[in-house]
Amino acid sequence: MTVVAPPLRSQKVRERRGGKAGYVFVAGYVVLLVAFGILPTLYAIWLSISNSRHQLVGLGNFTRTFADYRFAAAFTHIVVYVAIWLITLVVLVVGLALMLHGRMRRTSATLRFLFYLPGALAGVASVVLWLILLDPANSPIGFALRAFGWDSLATVILPSHLPVLFTVIAFWTGAGGWIIIMYGALNNIPAELIEAARMDGASTWQIARNIQLPMLRKWIAYMLILAFATGTQLFVEPQLVSTASFGMIPDGWAPNQLSYLYAFQAGDFHGAAALAVDLLFIGVASATVIVFRGGLFQRD
């Protein structure tokens, strides 16, 4: 009996065509990435190491902005905020996703919709909404705010409260999408594996710690990278709070605000670019650590 091998030529042709189609789809993204990502970044780097006469000044713009009395405060504010934001995001997002995937599976569809709904609001609209909610005179939860001794908006948005307030706003607007992503990642874990662990006597906590959390590691790393990048770019929230407080909060509370002041009040685009490159360096360095520690590109 003669075994005839299937023709391979047609298969190779299909694979070649599929590869070309993939390049076509990726090409659009590459064009946008170059036009609105790489080129602006290169231009910002050039501005940060040059002056208004297009002369190289090395690290001059960086040392000048570093010496600004507002620099340390702005970056300290953002470090405190990002630390609170990332810890809150990981603990609550992963915890809520595990709850939805476990004991709350029957109502998970409704709850996922409710979690995602606040994210439909634009960033500015959500901040304005929170400014109303945090004003004891106009808020529907004003009685709760007054119970803490906060009888006016000024007492609520004290500078020491801002990192926590901005974390609440960021979680309310952005965590719902991450909960849905984590829930989808949990659905990719084979049900047989979970069932085998239960049959071996593993508790819910043991299953989460030894099976689910390790398999979510890459997704958590991915969430941390994007959340860190978003957190360091904080601008709208402190800007609107500063306006609403009539200057009680400084205009340069966050590095992005300070960069804005350099560019559009002082006309110093080179100093503004230096601040932007500082944030870029911090973001790339942090993402690199997370990628290697979280094994983001490792194959299972």
Side-chain angles (χ1 to χ4, degrees):
M1 180 178 179
T2 303
V3 178
V4 180
L8 298 178
R9 185 174 180 179
S10 59
Q11 182 179 355
K12 291 181 179 180
V13 170
R14 287 195 299 270
E15 291 178 354
R16 192 178 298 113
R17 289 177 179 175
K20 291 180 179 179
Y23 289 130
V24 172
F25 283 106
V26 171
Y29 170 77
V30 171
V31 170
L32 294 175
L33 175 64
V34 172
F36 299 103
I38 296 176
L39 291 180
T41 300
L42 294 176
Y43 183 59
I45 293 174
W46 163 251
L47 286 178
S48 69
I49 60 175
S50 63
N51 58 22
S52 57
R53 294 187 295 274
H54 307 292
Q55 298 170 331
L56 289 175
V57 296
L59 299 178
N61 292 317
F62 293 95
T63 56
R64 180 166 55 83
T65 54
F66 181 78
D68 191 321
Y69 72 95
R70 298 168 294 183
F71 182 93
F75 277 84
T76 300
H77 293 155
I78 209 66
V79 166
V80 174
Y81 161 69
V82 169
I84 298 173
W85 161 233
L86 293 183
I87 293 172
T88 303
L89 189 69
V90 171
V91 173
L92 294 184
V93 164
V94 175
L96 288 171
L98 289 171
M99 289 174 61
L100 289 177
H101 191 261
R103 297 182 179 277
M104 305 174 70
R105 185 181 290 268
R106 292 183 179 179
T107 59
S108 63
T110 302
L111 291 174
R112 277 180 283 146
F113 173 76
L114 293 176
F115 288 147
Y116 180 75
L117 195 58
L121 284 175
V124 175
S126 65
V127 177
V128 172
L129 175 62
W130 273 97
L131 284 176
I132 297 173
L133 288 175
L134 294 174
D135 186 356
N138 302 308
S139 175
I141 58 171
F143 64 93
L145 296 173
R146 286 188 290 271
F148 286 96
W150 301 335
D151 54 358
S152 66
L153 181 62
T155 57
V156 175
I157 60 174
L158 288 173
S160 59
H161 297 169
L162 292 183
V164 175
L165 293 180
F166 293 153
T167 297
V168 172
I169 295 173
F171 186 86
W172 186 76
T173 56
W178 287 116
I179 293 173
I180 294 173
I181 291 173
M182 292 297 169
Y183 181 85
L186 287 170
N187 284 335
N188 289 328
I189 300 176
E192 297 81 6
L193 183 60
I194 304 294
E195 188 61 30
R198 288 199 180 100
M199 293 179 64
D200 289 339
S203 64
T204 302
W205 166 245
Q206 290 173 326
I207 292 173
R209 184 184 62 183
N210 299 320
I211 298 176
Q212 293 172 315
L213 289 179
M215 290 190 172
L216 286 179
R217 184 182 62 177
K218 293 183 179 180
W219 291 101
I220 295 173
Y222 176 65
M223 178 178 69
L224 284 175
I225 291 173
L226 295 186
F228 184 91
T230 303
T232 55
Q233 299 299 318
L234 192 69
F235 178 80
V236 173
E237 290 85 349
Q239 190 74 7
L240 288 180
V241 169
S242 177
T243 302
S245 65
F246 299 102
M248 190 176 77
I249 308 302
D251 292 339
W253 190 87
N256 254 356
Q257 288 181 285
L258 186 57
S259 179
Y260 178 86
L261 294 178
Y262 267 88
F264 298 105
Q265 285 194 7
D268 185 1
F269 291 95
H270 300 276
L275 290 170
V277 173
D278 287 336
L279 290 175
L280 173 66
F281 175 78
I282 293 172
V284 171
S286 302
T288 302
V289 172
I290 295 172
V291 165
F292 285 101
R293 294 296 299 271
L296 193 59
F297 296 135
Q298 294 177 0
R299 293 187 177 182
D300 296 328

